[in-house]
Amino acid sequence: MIKKESKTKNIIIIIVAFFLGILLMYGIIYKYPVLITNNVTKLEKNVTVTDTGIADAVEKVYDSVVVVATYQNGNMIASGTGFVYKIDNNDAYILTNNHVIESGNEVNVTFTDGKIIKTEIVGSDALSDIAVLKINKKEVISVAEIGSSEKVRVGDTSFAVGAPLDSVYSWTVTRGIISGKDRMVEVSLSSSAGDYVMKVLQTDAAINSGNSGGPLCNANGEVIGITSLKLVSESVEGMGFAIPIEVALNYAEKIISGEKITQPYLGISMVNVVDAYYYPQYYNIIKENNISNGVIIVDIEKNSPADKAGLQSKDIIVKINNDEVTSVAYLRYYLYNYNVGDKIEITYIRDSKTLKTTVTLGSNSKTY
């Protein structure tokens, strides 16, 4: 009987000890969770994660990229980037920016193997900021594959290849995402083109001086744009811009075919309303009409489309068809969406009255 009671007592002790152990463990976890977390963290650090990035995509386009050097009478005056985008018979064509080559009379390109080739300047266009160079196809290492800027989505991976700052950093690759599409950026392309607005892709991939003319690519290594602009400010970082590849190719093919690139023209000289405050002859006009945006006509060429439509100096243009004209740059942008011979409706203010007239667009060596 004593043995039986002793056995029962031992079982009770074991059960009590078991539950006390559970309670003790629970208390330790509750009071010292960091100890457990640290242990788990240490175990996670032993896991190896392999990320090859976009190396395959970069290799796809890398050897098609060239460093562009522009010379004037034997002296190098500018440098940038370009890429081989097509071969036609025995000729290979290179895309770059107009502002990279516009002031020179000789352009050389350097390939990734160090080979330097003198090019033929096929032609360029200041407004689109596109230039085309030509070399013999036997000099080419690789041809870039063309993609679609229209299919790319905000947030998609993008990368640029170029020669920022100096030839020492040639074929630098920078990676980011597409930060925006159809961005309207006001720029001054050259002294001849003046203020203009370009519709561009925005990326946070680093774009530095010397990258101009190089390819902006998608994650498949296909070219979706030509890096052309960088918004520079002490308070802004990671805002680079690229001309959509479809726009660039359209102008490139016109240049190669020898087609004269003409823009419709009104035949006026003009000034921004926001700048007219500095001109005494326009100050009262702005004050009387209580406007802050638009374009004031300074002068009109005789027998020009604007003259024939009845426009006069000191008229304030505020609309082209349904598009609001806020500045000279935007007037040019909306105007150049039309063709020579098209009819457009211009809304303007004269003597505090809002009026409209129809203009048949002409063609001239001038661009506005």
Side-chain angles (χ1 to χ4, degrees), residues 190-251:
S190 69
S191 57
S192 61
D195 294 333
Y196 188 54
V197 171
M198 297 183 72
K199 185 182 286 189
V200 293
L201 294 170
Q202 180 187 337
T203 179
D204 66 348
I207 307 295
N208 296 289
S209 175
N211 274 101
S212 292
L216 180 71
C217 303
N218 60 22
N220 294 321
E222 300 165 335
V223 181
I224 57 172
I226 298 180
T227 55
S228 178
L229 312 169
K230 180 174 173 63
L231 181 61
V232 179
S233 169
E234 291 182 0
S235 60
V236 175
E237 291 185 8
M239 293 183 71
F241 299 96
I243 302 166
I245 192 62
E246 294 85 356
V247 173
L249 293 179
N250 179 49
Y251 279 96

Side-chain angles (χ1 to χ4, degrees), residues 61-279:
V61 71
Y62 199 75
D63 287 330
S64 70
V65 179
V66 296
V67 178
V68 179
T70 303
Y71 297 83
Q72 178 68 44
N73 300 327
N75 298 313
M76 193 174 86
I77 57 172
S79 64
T81 308
F83 61 96
V84 181
Y85 83 98
K86 82 166 187 173
I87 290 178
D88 186 11
N89 296 322
N90 291 321
D91 298 319
Y93 293 93
I94 296 169
L95 273 175
T96 187
N97 285 144
N98 170 72
H99 72 263
V100 172
I101 63 103
E102 68 176 335
S103 299
N105 53 19
E106 181 181 327
V107 178
N108 293 344
V109 295
T110 305
F111 283 87
T112 52
D113 62 359
K115 184 169 51 181
I116 300 174
I117 307 296
K118 183 177 180 179
T119 74
E120 176 185 335
I121 303 173
V122 180
S124 61
D125 178 64
L127 285 173
S128 63
D129 201 21
I130 296 298
V132 181
L133 310 172
K134 184 169 71 174
I135 60 175
N136 192 293
K137 72 173 184 180
K138 68 180 181 181
E139 308 292 354
V140 172
I141 302 174
S142 177
V143 179
E145 186 174 333
I146 304 300
S148 170
S149 70
E150 295 172 356
K151 293 181 180 179
V152 73
R153 299 181 301 168
V154 173
D156 281 351
T157 293
S158 62
F159 69 90
V161 185
L165 303 180
D166 192 276
S167 58
V168 175
Y169 302 102
S170 298
W171 298 281
T172 291
V173 179
T174 55
R175 177 181 178 177
I177 62 170
I178 297 297
S179 306
K181 297 180 66 176
D182 299 331
R183 296 298 200 201
M184 304 295 284
V185 179
E186 195 166 326
V187 296
S188 182
L189 295 177
S190 69
S191 57
S192 61
D195 294 333
Y196 188 54
V197 171
M198 297 183 72
K199 185 182 286 189
V200 293
L201 294 170
Q202 180 187 337
T203 179
D204 66 348
I207 307 295
N208 296 289
S209 175
N211 274 101
S212 292
L216 180 71
C217 303
N218 60 22
N220 294 321
E222 300 165 335
V223 181
I224 57 172
I226 298 180
T227 55
S228 178
L229 312 169
K230 180 174 173 63
L231 181 61
V232 179
S233 169
E234 291 182 0
S235 60
V236 175
E237 291 185 8
M239 293 183 71
F241 299 96
I243 302 166
I245 192 62
E246 294 85 356
V247 173
L249 293 179
N250 179 49
Y251 279 96
E253 292 309 303
K254 288 181 179 180
I255 291 169
I256 291 171
S257 68
E259 179 182 342
K260 185 179 180 181
I261 299 175
T262 58
Q263 283 81 27
Y265 120 103
L266 292 172
I268 63 175
S269 57
M270 50 194 167
V271 63
N272 292 324
V273 164
V274 293
D275 298 325
Y277 286 100
Y278 301 104
Y279 299 87

Side-chain angles (χ1 to χ4, degrees), residues 8 56 81 85 160 162 197 232 248 263 295 322 336 338:
T8 301
D56 290 339
T81 308
Y85 83 98
V197 171
V232 179
Q263 283 81 27
V295 170
N322 293 319
Y336 299 158
Y338 298 97

